[in-house]
Amino acid sequence: MQDQAATEDLARRAAGGDGAALDGLLTGIRPEVVRRCARFLPCREDAEEAAQDVLLQVARHITAFEGRSRFGTWLYTVVANCCRQKYRELKRRAAEQPAAIEPSHAVDPRTTSVIAGSRVDLLEALDRLEREHPHLVAPLVYRDICQLDYAEAAERAGIPLGTLKSRLHEARRRVRPWLTAS
């Protein structure tokens, strides 16, 4: 991402309605947004689609950025939400239209990324956690996936630091067996 101070300045100006600042902001954050989306989604094309969704959401909702926290923190939230939405969309589409896998497109388990598999497992676990304990999702996403420090994660989740820590502990406890079961 561009220089953090310059990005913060562009974000504040864009939130105030400056169209040129918004254009500069979107251009500057795009590479970082794609990288962040790739942390969630194993397929490059899916990550790029999610990144486009993120940039669109930033453009549409930049006025919601009030500057109380860093723009990067606000952006992490948009990235996490768009990636989780893209994953649900892909999962729904796959369930509705199961595609036959041609032998030339079959995945060779010897060359499949372990990281890619773990990302899908993580997205499945987040999806399940959201169904069963929705209040535990934000602390886990902000702290463990977005890698915000505890104070920033608590601020972003809108809960006290102690509550964040206890929910994070509970979320990790619940998700751990789902990730190791596969």
Side-chain angles (χ1 to χ4, degrees):
M1 194 154 54
Q2 14 177 293
D3 174 288
Q4 186 175 348
T7 300
E8 294 294 326
D9 180 57
L10 284 172
R12 276 191 296 281
R13 290 183 11 229
D18 182 336
L22 178 60
D23 289 344
L25 179 67
L26 295 174
T27 300
I29 66 173
R30 187 182 190 295
E32 179 65 20
V33 167
V34 171
R35 277 191 296 280
R36 288 181 183 187
C37 289
R39 286 184 185 169
F40 282 91
L41 299 164
C43 177
R44 175 91 179 155
E45 293 82 14
D46 296 339
E48 287 176 357
E49 279 185 38
Q52 289 302 318
D53 293 343
V54 169
L55 295 173
L56 184 61
Q57 291 299 315
V58 169
R60 285 184 177 162
H61 301 289
I62 190 67
T63 56
F65 174 63
E66 299 172 348
R68 288 187 308 215
S69 62
R70 288 187 351 224
F71 173 74
T73 303
W74 184 81
L75 184 61
Y76 267 126
T77 305
V78 178
V79 167
N81 290 338
C82 285
C83 287
R84 290 173 51 223
Q85 182 60 38
K86 175 59 70 181
Y87 174 71
R88 285 191 290 266
E89 175 188 315
L90 292 168
K91 190 172 157 183
R92 187 176 50 251
R93 197 179 315 150
E96 290 170 357
Q97 301 172 346
I101 299 175
E102 297 176 26
S104 63
H105 292 96
V107 175
D108 181 349
R110 296 167 300 182
T111 60
T112 301
S113 168
V114 172
I115 292 172
S118 66
R119 288 182 201 160
V120 171
D121 293 342
L122 178 59
L123 288 166
E124 281 290 330
L126 284 172
D127 202 37
R128 182 173 173 185
L129 187 64
E130 188 164 35
R131 284 191 312 272
E132 296 178 12
H133 305 282
H135 65 287
L136 299 178
V137 174
L140 188 67
V141 168
Y142 293 141
R143 179 67 185 126
D144 289 358
I145 297 172
C146 296
Q147 299 175 337
L148 299 180
D149 64 36
Y150 286 100
E152 261 187 318
E155 178 186 333
R156 196 71 209 137
I159 56 178
L161 183 60
T163 303
L164 175 103
K165 288 181 177 181
S166 67
R167 287 183 183 177
L168 180 60
H169 174 76
E170 180 66 13
R172 287 172 176 164
R173 186 184 70 74
R174 290 185 180 279
V175 166
R176 191 173 295 117
W178 302 337
L179 295 176
T180 56
S182 16

